[in-house]
Amino acid sequence: MDMNQYLDMFIEESKEHLQAINENLLALEQSPQSLDIVNVVFRSAHTLKGMAATMGFEKMTHLTHEMENGLDLMRNGILAVSGDVMDVLFSCVDILEGQLNQIIEAGNDSASDIEVTVDKLKALVTGKPASSSVSDEEVSGIEVTEDGLIFNEYESTILRQSQESGFSAYKIMVTLNEKCIMRAARAYMVFDAYERTGEIIKSDPSVEDLEEEKFEKDFMIVLVTKKDQETVRSIGMNVSEVADVIVTQVKVEQQPEPVKTSKVEVAASAPSVAPAVSSKAAAPVVDLKAQAAAQDQKKMQIGKSVRVDIDRLDVLINLFSELVIDRTRLEQIAKDIGNGDLIETVEHMSRISTDLQNLVMTIRMVPVDTVFNRFPRMIRDLARELGKKVDFVIRGQDTELDRTVIDEIGDPLVHLLRNSIDHGLELPAARRANGKNETGRVELVAFQSGNHVFIEITDDGNGIDRDGVLKKAIDKGLVDPSSADSMPDMQVFDLLFHSGFSTAEKISDISGRGVGLDVVKTKIESLGGRVVVQSTPGQGTKFSIQLPLTLSIIQAMLVQIADEKYAIPLSSIIETAIIKKSDIKRVHRQDVIDFRGKVVPLLDLENTFSVPRDEENRQDEVNVVIVRKGEKMAALSVDFFIGQQEVVLKSLGKYLTGTVFAISGATILGDGQVALIMDCNALIQ
Amino acid sequence: MLERKDIVEEIKVIVFSLVDEEYGVEVAQVRSIEKMQNITRVPRTPDFVIGVINLRGVVTPVIDLKTRFSLGQADYTESTRIIIVAVEDMEVGLIVDAANDVIDIPINSIEQPPAVVGGIKASYLRGVAKLDGRLLVMLNLDKVLSNEEIQAMSAMER
């Protein structure tokens, strides 16, 4: 069978499972006792194994199988959730991600080396738990019933609960026929039959061993069901090649478990419950509880969804704008004819298409969660690596941004987060010395306000050293020493984004701060956004990013020059003004105007764009649009301001892209005409 | 080896006219044929780039083939058409005097272009097809649509 057609599906689903494992492992680290989480991880790993095996990716299958073994021990309470165990599991996820990338690029998973990790996993599985403090207390969680069955804490809890709610538990001994050839298959059929009547909570040998036929001719399962003993027996006997089934009732004492002792917790190094007190804990702690809770909540809300190719959406949006143009024409025709029925129908159609337009535009919106969800893991690793304690909080992950922006924003955020952890937060000891909580706090917050989305990264670290930054800037010749003292803080911190800072050869406290930040700024500005820094010495730093909701719709001012219409992006406009021709001065053969005390060059767009004009323009006043590029300004002269409106950004077509001076794209106006969008950055030299 | 004559492969061609000559482009490269419509001028482009049109929501550049081939000034009439052609993923509209016909021509009827044809650079031509006394100039769209000239011009601007 040709598996290639399933490859895309396999890749997408594997990505989802790996992300799920990653998130759940992080959650598990926070609540090591939670067997539910272990079960979820186990299921994901199991599914991955099945999928990889079906697709013939052997190494992936092998690794997930070993993971499963380890997780199985964990959910049976034999292996404790410790830092070492978590490290191995995380490294498994990393390798699996690597293998998946390999599959995406090369179509196979053969080149990845998994032996070291598999060995580590095997060491865990073969009864040598990494932490020695497990044994004694661990055993007390295991319960032995009168007929010699051994249950761990999890299983006995289930047994007790099911008995309380009127279910019976049976121990079922199944003996297969002597001549049975495919014993694993028979065992599977028995399992299958019983799973339809109740829940199998234990088997001996384990399911994995049964699957691999590691048993002679009989095996035991424990089933929780509402059926009576005789029915249970007959279900088993109905499976062919089963020689005998012996069913006995399992009794568990009704007395509730004594006060919950933290059996598993002991092995886990310093859970976040009391991070401030634990002095021995060298391991960093990342608190993700709030986030985990939020995610649980979100999972409840997720509905069914369909993956859509973004190109198809573009086609849909194009077709839709056609419809909107026809609508405008219809409205005009209906008005001219004056037929009541027609007018009514057209109005109804207009309303529907307006709703539809809003809907189509929101389809491209994606929650920022798709970017944010990879950060907790990154922060955990970073904190461990640097020996810092971080309390990482994410809020507003359901804020939505256009898909194109989402794809681009990941890297700058990684950069800023690393910066906050690496340079912003102090080491635990230093924090203690400063009277702060040992665990630093980093917040990643997203929210929407008007036509923008804000993403803020806040840390409660040491803040930025204003004098240090200034000194460096003066050394580099970026700032005049005489004016340095009077510079506002905001402007000083903005120097960090200067490319000169990023090439700092020596990593000192503040040069480290600036590494690569210029790249961050360039990227964000290319998305039409802005980034600012605020910082208070000793209290922390906040990076605030402002992004447009979407790249495909911008606010623009429509202007007219002779018979031609142009759109100027509102983001580059400072204001509009009307000036007298007599106020235009000449400086070095360049027209200039006096704008609020500043000399601003005046660009005659009619000349710049060689706009044809039938009769001479005899107005003695000029309409100007003052635009900016960074600190520089320019005034553009136009005939009329048509007004401000939202326009859908379109490319000029591949034939012209990148070759037209001062035009960044085009848009289609309500009457179906194309208007060009000016690139003010190119107009200002 | 088989003689070329033995396999008569045919291609479907759209025939259009410029001034008094007939030209052909392969149907496979044609997306649609549009009537003349409002065109938005794009400043600072070569004179054969007439501008852009709204082609069902996609902004598409339009060039005037007559100007492109230096066959004189464009004069738009009722029969003027815009032929939307696609080369690779680039779509461009070509303004022609009229789009006349769709015909099948055998590939082996296409001959090398003569050294000089009406002043058009030979590299724009794929060949000339002879059909019952009609001469059909087959265009090499890759060359016609190479935007070297635009590139060169915008390089001069900077």
Side-chain angles (χ1 to χ4, degrees):
Chain A
M1 185 165 46
D2 180 20
M3 284 293 171
N4 276 335
Q5 52 176 320
Y6 301 116
L7 194 60
D8 283 345
M9 216 195 297
F10 168 77
I11 290 168
E12 284 301 325
E13 288 189 13
S14 300
K15 275 185 187 163
E16 277 169 17
H17 280 295
L18 283 175
Q19 182 62 39
I21 294 178
N22 224 335
E23 281 170 9
N24 285 307
L25 284 180
L26 284 166
L28 182 64
E29 209 171 28
Q30 295 316 306
S31 39
Q33 305 90 330
S34 173
L35 287 164
D36 287 348
I37 303 180
V38 178
N39 273 322
V40 174
V41 178
F42 182 86
R43 274 199 294 274
S44 287
H46 185 73
T47 315
L48 261 182
K49 179 176 92 167
M51 282 162 42
T54 316
M55 299 293 294
F57 298 126
E58 283 169 21
K59 289 215 168 183
M60 209 166 177
T61 316
H62 183 43
L63 183 58
T64 40
H65 179 69
E66 295 295 336
M67 264 180 94
E68 230 183 307
N69 287 347
L71 288 163
D72 197 37
L73 293 181
M74 283 165 87
R75 66 173 184 174
N76 287 324
I78 298 164
L79 185 66
V81 181
S82 69
D84 293 333
V85 175
M86 296 308 293
D87 277 349
V88 176
L89 287 175
F90 274 125
S91 68
C92 287
V93 177
D94 287 345
I95 293 175
L96 287 172
E97 273 170 359
Q99 286 176 329
L100 191 61
N101 286 335
Q102 176 96 20
I103 289 169
I104 294 169
E105 277 158 27
N108 64 63
D109 64 341
S110 59
S112 39
D113 185 17
I114 60 170
E115 293 313 317
V116 181
T117 309
V118 167
D119 285 348
K120 276 192 207 156
L121 267 174
K122 278 188 176 150
L124 291 177
V125 175
T126 51
K128 283 186 286 180
S131 176
S132 55
S133 60
V134 192
S135 47
D136 300 357
E137 283 161 292
E138 264 307 307
V139 180
S140 70
I142 291 170
E143 190 170 324
V144 183
T145 58
E146 47 205 71
D147 45 0
L149 280 172
I150 300 168
F151 295 109
N152 62 29
E153 189 193 6
Y154 177 57
E155 289 157 356
S156 49
T157 312
I158 291 188
L159 281 177
R160 207 168 287 120
Q161 281 171 355
S162 55
Q163 284 190 353
E164 279 161 17
S165 39
F167 287 82
S168 320
Y170 299 105
K171 171 187 165 192
I172 305 165
M173 289 297 304
V174 182
T175 311
L176 294 180
N177 203 317
E178 291 282 345
K179 280 175 258 165
C180 177
I181 304 167
M182 297 174 69
R183 293 187 316 241
R186 286 301 154 211
Y188 173 78
M189 287 171 73
V190 173
F191 265 73
D192 194 44
Y194 279 122
E195 266 167 359
R196 267 181 243 153
T197 60
E199 197 183 348
I200 297 170
I201 60 167
K202 190 177 180 62
S203 73
D204 183 33
S206 72
V207 183
E208 280 75 28
D209 285 348
L210 286 173
E211 270 174 16
E212 284 163 29
E213 244 172 63
K214 285 184 190 158
F215 68 106
E216 285 304 311
K217 60 184 171 47
D218 45 16
F219 58 91
M220 184 277 297
I221 53 185
V222 177
L223 176 76
V224 177
T225 178
K226 276 202 165 153
K227 296 267 164 42
D228 64 57
Q229 200 159 339
E230 193 43 46
T231 321
V232 171
R233 180 166 188 273
S234 64
I235 289 170
M237 291 302 286
N238 278 344
V239 178
S240 53
E241 292 191 296
V242 170
D244 196 13
V245 177
I246 303 163
V247 181
T248 48
Q249 189 125 19
V250 178
K251 291 261 187 310
V252 183
E253 300 110 84
Q254 289 297 319
Q255 102 229 10
E257 181 90 329
V259 187
K260 278 260 174 200
T261 47
S262 50
K263 279 156 196 121
V264 197
E265 192 190 33
V266 183
S269 58
S272 68
V273 192
V277 213
S278 61
S279 52
K280 55 155 192 182
V285 173
V286 182
D287 188 359
L288 295 151
K289 260 193 207 144
Q291 197 216 350
Q295 261 162 4
D296 283 351
Q297 208 180 359
K298 213 185 104 216
K299 266 181 201 129
M300 310 287 285
Q301 294 164 358
I302 289 177
K304 287 174 183 163
S305 62
V306 180
R307 271 178 225 285
V308 184
D309 188 348
I310 199 119
D311 289 344
R312 284 196 193 178
L313 271 187
D314 285 344
V315 174
L316 178 67
I317 290 172
N318 282 343
L319 288 175
F320 194 80
S321 49
E322 274 295 289
L323 201 63
V324 171
I325 292 159
D326 287 345
R327 179 186 74 188
T328 322
R329 281 188 197 142
L330 268 179
E331 279 168 351
Q332 189 61 45
I333 293 169
K335 213 195 286 174
D336 292 349
I337 294 176
N339 179 317
D341 282 352
L342 180 60
I343 292 177
E344 203 175 299
T345 315
V346 170
E347 274 174 0
H348 184 236
M349 199 194 89
S350 302
R351 272 201 301 281
I352 290 179
S353 61
T354 310
D355 290 350
L356 208 53
Q357 190 172 8
N358 291 333
L359 188 73
V360 169
M361 285 307 173
T362 52
I363 291 179
R364 286 173 62 96
M365 305 299 274
V366 184
V368 287
D369 194 31
T370 51
V371 189
F372 283 9
N373 61 19
R374 61 173 151 136
F375 294 142
R377 171 68 202 285
M378 186 195 90
I379 302 274
R380 173 202 182 266
D381 289 357
L382 205 60
R384 253 183 115 88
E385 190 184 313
L386 296 167
K388 291 182 179 176
K389 293 190 179 183
V390 184
D391 186 353
F392 183 52
V393 182
I394 293 180
R395 282 189 282 131
Q397 60 265 60
D398 48 0
T399 311
E400 291 188 330
L401 264 173
D402 189 272
R403 179 65 205 247
T404 42
V405 184
I406 290 271
D407 289 345
E408 301 286 324
I409 195 62
D411 287 345
L413 288 182
V414 167
H415 229 99
L416 292 178
L417 281 170
R418 288 185 79 89
N419 194 296
S420 284
I421 308 257
D422 197 358
H423 307 296
L425 291 186
E426 315 90 327
L427 287 165
R431 292 183 65 91
R432 216 171 29 236
N434 288 331
K436 286 187 189 173
N437 191 332
E438 263 188 10
T439 309
R441 188 177 171 85
V442 174
E443 278 188 50
L444 177 61
V445 183
F447 59 90
Q448 188 186 340
S449 171
N451 264 331
H452 288 94
V453 165
F454 290 82
I455 299 176
E456 294 179 346
I457 295 166
T458 317
D459 67 64
D460 66 347
N462 212 13
I464 302 171
D465 175 10
R466 182 194 146 101
D467 294 339
V469 175
L470 270 179
K471 186 169 166 292
K472 188 143 186 75
I474 293 168
D475 287 351
K476 293 232 167 229
L478 296 170
V479 173
D480 183 7
S482 59
S483 66
D485 282 345
S486 58
M487 258 172 102
D489 281 359
M490 193 86 100
Q491 215 173 324
V492 174
F493 299 144
D494 203 47
L495 288 168
L496 292 173
F497 293 110
H498 201 280
S499 61
F501 269 71
S502 68
T503 51
E505 62 291 358
K506 177 82 185 78
I507 305 296
S508 70
D509 279 338
I510 51 120
S511 67
R513 269 260 163 192
V515 170
L517 281 185
D518 60 322
V519 183
V520 172
K521 185 173 188 169
T522 316
K523 186 89 209 179
I524 289 171
E525 285 186 346
S526 76
L527 295 173
R530 290 197 305 142
V531 54
V532 289
V533 199
Q534 289 166 321
S535 183
T536 318
Q539 288 184 23
T541 308
K542 172 153 110 183
F543 290 96
S544 185
I545 301 169
Q546 181 190 343
L547 289 168
L549 268 183
T550 165
L551 286 184
S552 49
I553 303 175
I554 59 164
Q555 286 281 337
M557 162 78 88
L558 278 186
V559 298
Q560 187 160 352
I561 306 160
D563 288 333
E564 298 185 351
K565 290 174 184 165
Y566 291 87
I568 306 176
L570 221 54
S571 55
S572 21
I573 297 181
I574 300 176
E575 64 174 277
T576 56
I578 299 172
I579 52 164
K580 288 204 174 67
K581 273 200 171 147
S582 55
D583 286 342
I584 301 173
K585 308 276 186 315
R586 279 190 98 97
V587 173
H588 202 64
R589 308 193 56 165
Q590 163 73 58
D591 285 347
V592 295
I593 56 166
D594 182 354
F595 174 71
R596 299 187 195 285
K598 270 192 167 180
V599 177
V600 176
L602 176 71
L603 267 165
D604 184 1
L605 284 184
E606 196 178 323
N607 284 341
T608 315
F609 289 152
S610 348
V611 183
R613 190 189 288 277
D614 294 338
E615 51 190 294
E616 210 186 325
N617 186 6
R618 278 202 211 88
Q619 290 167 333
D620 51 353
E621 283 183 332
V622 188
N623 295 321
V624 293
V625 184
I626 317 280
V627 295
R628 67 176 179 94
K629 173 199 187 183
E631 298 296 303
K632 290 179 194 162
M633 290 198 284
L636 313 175
S637 69
V638 301
D639 287 1
F640 306 107
F641 307 123
I642 298 171
Q644 178 187 333
Q645 70 178 70
E646 277 188 344
V647 299
V648 179
L649 206 66
K650 307 219 171 205
S651 109
L652 277 181
K654 209 182 165 203
Y655 185 61
L656 294 176
T657 298
T659 58
V660 185
F661 172 74
I663 299 294
S664 60
T667 185
I668 294 171
L669 301 175
D671 60 358
Q673 296 302 307
V674 180
L676 302 177
I677 298 171
M678 265 183 226
D679 178 5
C680 297
N681 289 343
L683 286 174
I684 304 172
Q685 294 300 321
Chain B
M1 246 180 52
L2 286 166
E3 286 280 324
R4 218 183 139 69
K5 275 180 211 153
D6 296 338
I7 328 153
V8 184
E9 276 185 85
E10 292 194 328
I11 52 170
K12 226 179 235 320
V13 171
I14 295 215
V15 183
F16 62 87
S17 59
L18 289 179
V19 198
D20 51 0
E21 285 177 73
E22 282 192 313
Y23 290 79
V25 291
E26 261 186 78
V27 162
Q29 291 182 303
V30 175
R31 286 277 179 279
S32 64
I33 300 175
E34 308 285 327
K35 282 198 168 171
M36 201 54 193
Q37 51 181 281
N38 211 313
I39 299 176
T40 302
R41 190 184 66 95
V42 179
R44 304 241 217 167
T45 45
D47 57 356
F48 58 82
V49 177
I50 303 301
V52 288
I53 58 168
N54 166 16
L55 185 71
R56 285 174 282 284
V58 182
V59 176
T60 311
V62 176
I63 64 178
D64 188 312
L65 268 196
K66 262 195 288 190
T67 322
R68 182 81 169 101
F69 294 154
S70 319
L71 296 178
Q73 269 300 317
D75 184 20
Y76 304 137
T77 66
E78 268 297 293
S79 65
T80 304
R81 292 287 180 275
I82 304 176
I83 301 181
I84 311 290
V85 295
V87 174
E88 286 161 20
D89 54 347
M90 183 161 70
E91 283 194 21
V92 178
L94 310 175
I95 300 180
V96 300
D97 286 345
N100 310 344
D101 218 349
V102 182
I103 54 168
D104 292 314
I105 57 168
I107 281 188
N108 58 9
S109 72
I110 302 177
E111 289 170 16
Q112 283 297 307
V116 178
V117 181
I120 303 173
K121 272 192 233 155
S123 65
Y124 295 156
L125 304 184
R126 183 171 150 193
V128 175
K130 261 195 295 192
L131 301 158
D132 317 322
R134 273 167 101 181
L135 279 183
L136 208 56
V137 186
M138 296 296 296
L139 286 182
N140 187 349
L141 280 183
D142 291 339
K143 284 282 179 219
V144 177
L145 295 186
S146 97
N147 55 4
E148 274 164 31
E149 271 135 292
I150 301 180
Q151 302 276 14
M153 197 173 144
S154 64
M156 264 160 57
E157 295 275 350
R158 278 161 202 163

